[in-house]
Amino acid sequence: MEPAVSTGVDVGWVPSGGVGLFRFMTTIVTAEAHRRRRALGQILLLATAFLVLVAISATSVVLVNEARKDSALVVHTVEVENHINALLLEIRRAESNARGYLLTSGPEFLRAHEAAVASILPFLDRLTQSISDDAVQVEHSKKLRSAIEIRLRQ
């Protein structure tokens, strides 16, 4: 009897001759097929993991681009709000100085009122320019302009 060649599979002692050799070769082929199946399974698992990683990366890129677009919209909204607040400040300043002039007849209130009135329309123009991408807001801006012009003529 001869010891079996080490293949990772324990087949024990095989007798010399054809039947033992067939059994030994079958065991080797079976072990080799098992290793191939296992290697193929590992390759498929690795390929699947790689595809999942690629999908996650692609999704991440898309979401980052969407976040940038959303951030730009938020910045635009804040800029429009700042233009509105600046316009309101000038309108209030003009009204406040007009009241001060009416109460005191002081020329400093008149000068401050005239300066505020002169700056209202440029502030409104900046606001209108910043909302020019939205037709509804442009229409509202036209109504606001006519109301401001009527108020300034009083």
Side-chain angles (χ1 to χ4, degrees):
M1 286 211 222
E2 302 171 359
V5 177
S6 177
T7 62
V9 177
D10 187 18
V11 292
W13 292 92
V14 290
S16 301
V19 175
L21 183 60
F22 177 74
R23 183 173 165 219
F24 177 71
M25 292 303 286
T26 303
T27 304
I28 292 174
V29 170
T30 305
E32 188 64 31
H34 178 70
R35 272 189 243 126
R36 283 185 185 157
R37 270 189 255 125
R38 188 172 188 194
L40 182 62
Q42 289 175 346
I43 290 171
L44 288 175
L45 183 63
L46 184 64
T48 303
F50 180 72
L51 289 176
V52 168
L53 183 63
V54 167
I56 289 171
S57 297
T59 303
S60 175
V61 167
V62 168
L63 291 176
V64 165
N65 287 336
E66 288 297 319
R68 285 182 184 157
K69 290 177 189 175
D70 293 342
S71 178
L73 290 174
V74 169
V75 167
H76 176 71
T77 300
V78 170
E79 287 174 353
V80 169
E81 287 177 347
N82 287 339
H83 290 293
I84 291 170
N85 289 331
L87 177 63
L88 284 173
L89 178 67
E90 289 303 311
I91 290 171
R92 287 183 182 151
R93 187 177 296 157
E95 289 177 344
S96 177
N97 285 313
R99 283 191 303 273
Y101 178 71
L102 291 174
L103 290 173
T104 65
S105 296
E108 67 277 0
F109 288 111
L110 183 59
R111 282 191 299 274
H113 171 73
E114 289 171 350
V117 166
S119 66
I120 288 175
L121 291 179
F123 276 106
L124 183 58
D125 291 338
R126 279 187 231 130
L127 172 63
T128 303
Q129 183 180 7
S130 69
I131 60 171
S132 63
D133 59 339
D134 188 345
V136 174
Q137 289 181 351
V138 169
E139 287 301 314
H140 291 306
S141 140
K142 289 177 183 177
K143 292 176 185 176
L144 179 63
R145 179 177 293 277
S146 66
I148 288 174
E149 288 173 347
I150 289 170
R151 180 73 174 130
L152 291 178
R153 279 183 261 157
Q154 293 178 351

